Amino acid sequence: MITDLVAKAAREAPLPAYVYDLDHLDAHMAAIAAAVRTGPGRVEIHYAAKANPDPGVLATVARHVDGIEVASGGELAHVRDVLGPDVPIAFGGPGKTDEELAAAARQADRVHVESRLEVRRLAAAARAAGTRVKALLRVNVPGGVGGVLRMGGGPSPFGMDPAEADACLAELPPEIELLGVHAHLASGLDAQACAAQGRTVLDWAAAFAARHGVGLAEVVIGGGMHVDYTRPAERFDWAAYRAALRLPDHGPLVRIEPGRALTAYSGWYVTDVLDLKRSAGEWFAICRGGTHHLRTPVAKGHDQPFTVLPTGTGPTIAGPVTVVGQLCTPKDVLARRVPVERIGVGDRVAFALAGAYALNISHRDFLMHPPPALVRVGGGADQV
Ligand SMILES: Cc1ncc(COP(=O)(O)O)c(C=O)c1O
């Protein structure tokens, strides 16, 4: 549902534009943080900055989380730049370069290590920096529960197999302080499935610690909370998720690492209709911009939900319409055969759920159209 604040910004913005509603994000984050912090045990939230590293989004999210997860040297530098030296940062991701490991040793609070070789390379980086590094072993824990975007629980370039984790413990270099275990097995899970996956990781980590006679201070059970693009009013049930984790009072610190379900609902991609065309019996609305700004529907294979703002004075139609962009490819489709009461030339169209994995995953240089404007509305916007 488009709010008055976003609708006003959408009517006034230079087009195309991303509109970030930071008031909405602030309230959404407050509710999530309250749900996650209620119950037995300790749960921390690290925001996966890859979902949306916009400075206004980062600053707003940061008020409600315990730290930020970054997955590249670029994200590390950006997050430090935007949020300053004090925000706790966890550095993860596969294929870290020597430069990234060196930066992580100096500027990150903990590193999620992806392989046995990477443990050795991180130790060398720590030695060169004259420091010890806090690390968690990212493990491809067996027995994940599915999900839309699977990253573990089977053959995977992410993390290490359990036997490799055993080997890492046997040869842990003195420069590495082992904090715990990290896993992120899949994305797109509802509350019960996501909690079941978290429990699988927690149980595995407890058995791993017992087998080696070590204490684990932290277990990261990943992100992956579902965003339902077909039902934009639905929300991940954070309270049910928290309860279903069934945490003991005195276990290790549990950390979750969500991205999509935090920021998706607070971002809008706004454009306008340049042309309306009937082709072989079907209506097409051709919009300024397209999937080079909002790649999400192509990447995930859904129709991006949208609201039509009747701002145009050109011809209009009603009925099923396929909304496309300006690119010379049949893949440039934002939504297919969606019934509408009205869409017309000059009308503005505001695509919802564009606050995560949207602009930053898009191939924005293709065809050299101008980039979208960035408009931040809401209380936090003036702090950026
Ligand atoms: C290691 C890791 N943590 C967290 C996330 C965030 O996942 P999501 O945005 O589905 O919550 C990702 C996403 O790819 C990831 O790779």
Side-chain angles (χ1 to χ4, degrees), residues 7-232:
K8 181 171 182 298
R11 284 172 199 277
E12 294 169 358
L15 297 180
Y18 268 85
V19 176
Y20 294 129
D21 182 348
L22 302 184
D23 273 356
H24 180 276
L25 182 59
D26 201 44
H28 181 63
M29 287 302 310
I32 291 172
V36 166
R37 291 185 181 127
T38 304
R42 284 177 306 151
V43 179
E44 280 195 353
I45 310 172
H46 273 191
Y47 170 53
K50 60 179 79 68
N52 189 337
D54 172 77
V57 168
L58 271 178
T60 307
V61 169
R63 284 189 221 131
H64 303 280
V65 298
D66 304 282
I68 310 289
E69 186 253 356
V70 302
S72 74
E75 283 191 349
L76 175 61
H78 174 70
V79 171
R80 278 275 170 255
D81 194 36
V82 174
L83 299 178
D86 296 332
V87 64
I89 294 184
F91 192 114
K96 302 178 189 74
T97 64
D98 286 340
E99 292 75 19
E100 287 176 319
L101 289 171
R106 286 193 312 272
Q107 293 176 39
D109 297 83
R110 42 181 64 65
V111 179
H112 302 153
V113 225
E114 294 261 341
S115 73
R116 205 165 151 193
L117 176 59
E118 198 174 272
V119 174
R120 294 184 198 138
R121 291 175 56 225
L122 180 63
R127 215 172 303 131
T131 183
R132 286 189 90 207
V133 177
K134 295 185 168 73
L136 289 86
L137 301 181
R138 180 173 182 181
V139 182
N140 184 1
V141 171
V145 293
V148 181
L149 210 58
R150 291 202 61 172
M151 297 176 81
S156 163
F158 304 108
M160 59 186 93
D161 281 3
E164 288 284 293
D166 289 336
C168 283
L169 272 203
E171 60 179 34
L172 206 63
E175 295 84 2
I176 303 292
E177 180 187 340
L178 184 74
L179 285 187
V181 164
H182 171 284
H184 171 80
L185 300 178
S187 288
L189 300 166
D190 68 22
Q192 295 303 327
C194 203
Q197 178 173 272
R199 276 254 48 98
T200 301
V201 174
L202 289 165
D203 293 344
W204 185 91
F208 175 72
R211 200 163 62 244
H212 289 279
V214 295
L216 295 184
E218 306 179 353
V219 181
V220 179
I221 58 176
M225 293 74 184
H226 186 47
V227 169
D228 191 341
Y229 290 87
T230 63
R231 293 184 298 165

Side-chain angles (χ1 to χ4, degrees), residues 28 148 187-191 224-238 258-266 296 300 302 304-305 352-357:
H28 181 63
V148 181
S187 288
L189 300 166
D190 68 22
M225 293 74 184
H226 186 47
V227 169
D228 191 341
Y229 290 87
T230 63
R231 293 184 298 165
E234 290 291 306
R235 294 290 179 271
F236 184 83
D237 189 340
W238 290 93
R260 189 183 302 272
L262 303 192
T263 58
Y265 305 100
S266 305
T296 325
K300 289 189 62 69
H302 61 237
Q304 197 73 22
L353 273 57
Y357 305 106

Side-chain angles (χ1 to χ4, degrees), residues 149 260 291 294-302 331 333 357 361:
L149 210 58
R260 189 183 302 272
T291 56
L294 178 61
R295 188 166 162 263
T296 325
V298 183
K300 289 189 62 69
H302 61 237
K331 294 186 176 173
V333 178
Y357 305 106
I361 65 156

